[in-house]
Amino acid sequence: MRLSDRLERIAAKAAEVTEGYVADVGTDHGFVPIRLMETGTVRHVVAMDVRKGPLSRAAEHVREYHMEDRIETRLSDGLQELKAGEADTVIIAGMGGELMLRILRDGAHMYRSVKHYVLSPQSELSVFRHGLEKLGISILEEQMLMDEGKYYVILHAAPGSMHYEQEYEYRYGSDLIQKQDPVLREFLERELAQGEELLAHLSLTQTEGAQKRAESLRQELNETKEAYHALQGTD
């Protein structure tokens, strides 16, 4: 099975770090669990979704690949129906950062048995990284990619403490900045260009709302510039 680049990377990272037992939260069509089994390094996957329709389709796909004995589909709101010890690795992807944090908080019963998290939030990345810190989950590695015209981040995290010194590290990812990730560089350059263009447009409008947005945008751009200079290795 060939998936999108993003899902392929998510499956590859989970297969790399797991001891053999994975839970896929919000499995949708069940394609990631099937791909995990095809790697040959995973023994069992619990494929979970809060919606009956997608879960039914996932079960159909599992049957098509004759993997019913290794992939279990389970109706669950986040991690609530997962039992301690059933998974050493948890995948959560394709949701907003706030929702993913809620799932992790509500899944506190899994903290002792889960050793690895593979996470790919679609929004609220700064809030998400701050939230992981508060939950006692440490980011070990980040990947950034463009897939079908959109930028995505994939995080490998594990139980532990972390803290970043600069706010831009929470916004853009300390690991990505430190390893001078080329995709992040491209993203930051685009953010700066679009931000400066919008700022110039706002400067032509004298309304109070436009002025407030311009001031907020200047602060955002300063943070983006700090991240870009750190990535470039310049002060």
Side-chain angles (χ1 to χ4, degrees), residues 4-66:
S4 67
D5 190 17
R6 179 178 67 96
L7 293 181
E8 284 286 353
R9 291 204 198 187
I10 289 170
K13 176 53 64 174
E16 174 191 329
V17 302
T18 186
E19 296 177 4
Y21 297 88
V22 180
D24 182 28
V25 179
T27 195
D28 200 16
H29 293 82
F31 292 146
V32 168
I34 292 169
R35 185 71 188 94
L36 285 169
M37 284 303 166
E38 292 177 337
T39 67
T41 62
V42 179
R43 299 178 64 182
H44 188 266
V45 181
V46 181
M48 303 185 292
D49 206 289
V50 70
R51 300 165 297 169
K52 293 181 179 180
L55 197 65
S56 177
R57 289 193 293 272
E60 290 177 8
H61 294 141
V62 170
R63 287 192 293 271
E64 288 174 9
Y65 281 81
H66 308 291

Side-chain angles (χ1 to χ4, degrees), residues 63-81:
R63 287 192 293 271
E64 288 174 9
Y65 281 81
H66 308 291
M67 295 179 176
E68 303 97 313
D69 58 331
R70 291 171 289 163
I71 300 176
E72 176 190 348
T73 56
R74 187 181 300 177
L75 191 66
S76 177
D77 182 359
L79 292 163
Q80 290 184 8
E81 299 304 319

Side-chain angles (χ1 to χ4, degrees), residues 2-160:
R2 178 65 187 172
L3 304 178
S4 67
D5 190 17
R6 179 178 67 96
L7 293 181
E8 284 286 353
R9 291 204 198 187
I10 289 170
K13 176 53 64 174
E16 174 191 329
V17 302
T18 186
E19 296 177 4
Y21 297 88
V22 180
D24 182 28
V25 179
T27 195
D28 200 16
H29 293 82
F31 292 146
V32 168
I34 292 169
R35 185 71 188 94
L36 285 169
M37 284 303 166
E38 292 177 337
T39 67
T41 62
V42 179
R43 299 178 64 182
H44 188 266
V45 181
V46 181
M48 303 185 292
D49 206 289
V50 70
R51 300 165 297 169
K52 293 181 179 180
L55 197 65
S56 177
R57 289 193 293 272
E60 290 177 8
H61 294 141
V62 170
R63 287 192 293 271
E64 288 174 9
Y65 281 81
H66 308 291
M67 295 179 176
E68 303 97 313
D69 58 331
R70 291 171 289 163
I71 300 176
E72 176 190 348
T73 56
R74 187 181 300 177
L75 191 66
S76 177
D77 182 359
L79 292 163
Q80 290 184 8
E81 299 304 319
L82 189 67
K83 301 177 182 63
E86 285 189 304
D88 62 78
T89 300
V90 166
I91 298 171
I92 313 177
M95 309 174 200
E98 290 273 20
L99 175 56
M100 289 174 60
L101 287 173
R102 194 271 291 172
I103 288 171
L104 290 168
R105 284 193 297 266
D106 291 350
H109 63 287
M110 297 299 300
Y111 286 174
R112 291 187 179 182
S113 56
V114 174
K115 298 180 180 180
H116 300 278
Y117 296 91
V118 179
L119 308 165
S120 185
Q122 290 190 322
S123 61
E124 304 144 338
L125 288 169
S126 177
V127 171
F128 187 70
R129 293 185 180 102
H130 274 292
L132 291 182
E133 179 181 320
K134 292 178 182 178
L135 288 172
I137 298 174
S138 176
I139 298 170
L140 304 179
E141 177 197 5
E142 295 200 31
Q143 302 175 47
M144 191 172 192
L145 70 151
M146 176 179 272
D147 189 15
E148 298 179 350
K150 295 182 180 180
Y151 288 96
Y152 295 97
V153 174
I154 299 169
L155 295 76
H156 171 211

Side-chain angles (χ1 to χ4, degrees), residues 201-221:
H201 176 73
L202 289 170
S203 67
L204 300 176
T205 306
Q206 299 302 315
T207 65
E208 183 178 350
Q211 291 176 358
K212 287 183 178 180
R213 178 66 185 106
E215 180 58 32
S216 174
L217 182 57
R218 288 189 190 94
Q219 295 175 3
E220 292 173 12
L221 283 171

